[in-house]
Amino acid sequence: GDIIMLKVKTIWKNEPVFELEQEPRVQGAVIAIEPSTGYIRAIVGGYDFSKSEFNRAVFAERQAGSVIKPLIYAAAMDNGYTPASVIIDEPIVFENSELGDWKPGNYDNKYNGATRLRDALAHSRNIITIKLLQDIGVGKAVNFMSDLGLNGPFPRDLTLALGSLSLTPIEITSAFSVFANDGVKMEPIAVKYILDSSGNTIESNRPAGTRVISAQTAFLATSMLEDVVNYGTAVRAKALNRPVAGKTGTTNDYIDAWFVGYTPDLAAGVWVGFDDRQTLGKREAGSKAALPVWVDFMKETLDTLS
């Protein structure tokens, strides 16, 4: 009378070969938005709705990690920087007599010296992002993020550069959609229209857009995010064999894994983590835990759109 979970591994001589499967404890969320209209094409709020009705794609506020960095770089583009601007990647210390010195470092604990912003974002360099935020000012970055649709509350210090902000998958995916839509923010729409039993329209939600950043800034952000895929932390997204822009994200102790990316037709965000904020495990970064989910989803979805 015992029940075991199996999945089909392969077919051998017309017979299925099974391997053991188990129900995961880790949770996840996926949301896909059409950048040009704001229509939400898909929402997955968790592993199994029958076991948990909490919609993590809309309501789970999780630390952003490095997935927030493109917004800071885009804000810098609005304040005189270009993708070719150079900042020195080096150890830094912020002295604080009350709280103790803050000594942030890069993910790999290596420093590359003079680095273009394009390369810094592609390889998610923490130090350069902190320096960039320090130069343009936290206030300008917060205002820029608010314009893109992030709700806060925002940390008003340089930890914002490392993703100390908490946000929902729908927030960050909608923000990336602005880059994909030439700087125009479309309000996310889950229900296009509702008809009564006689076919009369009783509710209709039409796309409503507002320009929040310049087309130039959106273009530069997309160009830099394409290089994250071309040679940076998200090279696995090249498996789609089409133009892709996106960013990985990982929080301290591998608690949250993110990937948010887009093609011209669709923007999608994936978050993976435990509800109780325990670690996913050593090296379970966004590129390993979230990006493969995004690739599988987009492979299936983009075929239906083309």
Side-chain angles (χ1 to χ4, degrees):
D2 291 340
I3 298 176
I4 60 172
M5 296 183 66
L6 302 171
K7 70 176 180 181
V8 178
K9 182 178 181 180
T10 186
I11 301 296
W12 176 256
K13 295 182 178 180
N14 295 322
E15 293 291 336
V17 178
F18 297 101
E19 64 180 17
L20 287 172
E21 182 65 286
Q22 65 183 33
E23 189 170 283
R25 293 187 299 115
V26 69
Q27 283 289 348
V30 179
I31 184 160
I33 300 173
E34 192 174 87
S36 60
T37 62
Y39 291 146
I40 297 173
R41 294 303 189 184
I43 292 181
V44 180
Y47 172 71
D48 189 334
F49 184 77
S50 67
K51 293 180 171 57
S52 171
E53 298 183 9
F54 180 58
N55 189 338
R56 294 158 187 81
V58 178
F59 299 116
E61 295 184 352
R62 306 290 298 214
Q63 277 203 329
S66 294
V67 81
I68 203 69
K69 289 177 181 175
L71 278 62
I72 295 173
Y73 282 71
M77 301 301 110
D78 256 8
N79 286 275
Y81 282 90
T82 76
S85 297
V86 174
I87 291 180
I88 305 301
D89 185 15
E90 61 186 347
I92 54 176
V93 178
F94 295 91
E95 296 181 355
N96 189 310
S97 58
E98 295 181 1
L99 301 177
D101 295 346
W102 182 40
K103 301 177 182 179
N106 290 321
Y107 178 80
D108 57 4
N109 293 315
K110 297 178 181 179
Y111 304 92
N112 298 327
T115 306
R116 296 185 308 161
L117 294 190
R118 179 181 295 278
D119 298 328
L121 183 60
H123 296 293
S124 203
R125 309 307 287 173
N126 290 340
I127 298 301
I128 291 179
T129 310
I130 292 170
K131 285 187 171 184
L132 197 60
L133 179 60
Q134 184 180 33
D135 187 59
I136 66 174
V138 173
K140 286 183 179 179
V142 167
N143 290 339
F144 186 88
M145 293 178 188
S146 297
D147 289 342
L148 292 183
L150 302 192
N151 298 317
F154 296 92
R156 298 281 175 165
D157 55 44
L158 295 179
T159 65
L160 179 63
L162 305 184
S164 58
L165 167 69
S166 292
L167 44 71
T168 63
I170 191 174
E171 280 183 272
I172 190 63
T173 305
S174 180
F176 272 57
S177 296
V178 175
F179 299 147
N181 197 35
D182 297 327
V184 177
K185 175 175 172 52
M186 307 299 295
E187 292 301 320
I189 297 173
V191 178
K192 294 173 71 172
Y193 57 85
I194 299 174
L195 305 179
D196 64 16
S197 59
S198 300
N200 301 310
T201 302
I202 58 177
E203 181 180 335
S204 179
N205 297 310
R206 299 184 179 278
T210 305
R211 176 164 295 283
V212 292
I213 62 174
S214 69
Q216 178 182 356
T217 296
F219 173 83
L220 292 175
T222 295
S223 175
M224 296 172 77
L225 287 170
E226 286 179 318
D227 279 347
V228 177
V229 175
N230 290 334
Y231 62 85
T233 60
V235 290
R236 291 185 181 185
K238 293 172 71 174
L240 286 185
N241 295 317
R242 65 175 73 203
V244 173
K247 184 70 183 75
T248 55
T250 311
T251 60
N252 288 345
D253 300 320
Y254 304 98
I255 290 175
D256 300 278
W258 293 89
F259 184 76
V260 183
Y262 53 91
T263 67
D265 299 317
L266 195 68
V270 173
W271 165 82
V272 176
F274 287 96
D275 285 339
D276 60 3
R277 288 174 164 79
Q278 64 177 288
T279 180
L280 288 165
K282 187 76 170 175
R283 303 295 179 186
E284 291 294 330
S287 59
K288 183 178 179 182
L291 178 52
V293 178
W294 187 91
V295 170
D296 287 347
F297 170 78
M298 293 294 274
K299 278 182 177 179
E300 295 286 339
T301 305
L302 293 175
D303 287 342
T304 66
L305 296 177
S306 59

